[in-house]
Amino acid sequence: MRNAPVSGLSVPVVRFAFIRWFALLALCAAYLQGGLVKLFDFGGAIAEMQHFGLSPAAPMAAAVIILELGASALILSGRFRWAGALALGLFTFVANFMANAFWQASGHDRAMLMNGFFEHIGLAGAFVYVAWDDLKGRT
């Protein structure tokens, strides 16, 4: 087994690849879970779209399911990883303004929404980093 330098350490390549893939799985976990829940409870997915004022709700729900599951599959497979990562990063960034509008809330709700908002900004940033890293590795 070959070793790959990682910050001055020698780490077996196979182990490093598995850890990297597992980290990508963790990054995609919420989208895989969300997409599967919406897929198996399409009525709930439609209700969620209506809750956020998106219409037509059924096609929007279908598009979100395809985006969450499809982009996650691209990221995990390594095939067009950059495209899947940018898609989920943009989706997360835009949806964050609808789902975590802390500036419209007060009290405890405001604090919870604010935490969620900035966590999702970080998540979007992580997807941009994955895309950048994938594209950098291809040049």
Side-chain angles (χ1 to χ4, degrees):
M1 188 175 340
R2 290 185 39 227
N3 291 332
V6 177
S7 299
L9 301 174
S10 182
V11 178
V13 171
V14 172
R15 191 177 316 150
F16 182 72
F18 175 75
I19 291 169
R20 182 170 188 236
W21 186 86
F22 192 78
L24 292 170
L25 177 62
L27 188 60
C28 293
Y31 303 91
L32 291 167
Q33 178 269 342
L36 289 171
V37 166
K38 288 175 185 74
L39 181 64
F40 291 112
D41 179 14
F42 195 67
I46 291 171
E48 183 179 10
M49 297 305 121
Q50 291 169 335
H51 169 78
F52 289 113
L54 300 173
S55 95
M60 291 296 289
V64 169
I65 292 167
I66 291 167
L67 174 69
E68 288 181 325
L69 297 178
S72 294
L74 292 175
I75 291 168
L76 295 174
S77 72
R79 189 165 179 80
F80 296 104
R81 177 174 285 146
W82 64 269
L86 287 179
L88 284 181
L90 181 61
F91 171 74
T92 301
F93 185 79
V94 171
N96 193 26
F97 284 89
M98 288 188 288
N100 295 307
F102 66 89
W103 52 90
Q104 296 176 346
S106 61
H108 181 70
D109 289 342
R110 180 181 174 90
M112 296 299 290
L113 289 169
M114 187 183 297
N115 286 341
F117 182 87
F118 286 101
E119 287 169 359
H120 282 82
I121 292 293
L123 190 55
F127 281 119
V128 170
Y129 182 82
V130 167
W132 173 77
D133 187 60
D134 189 55
L135 289 170
K136 179 182 72 161
R138 294 180 189 277
T139 59

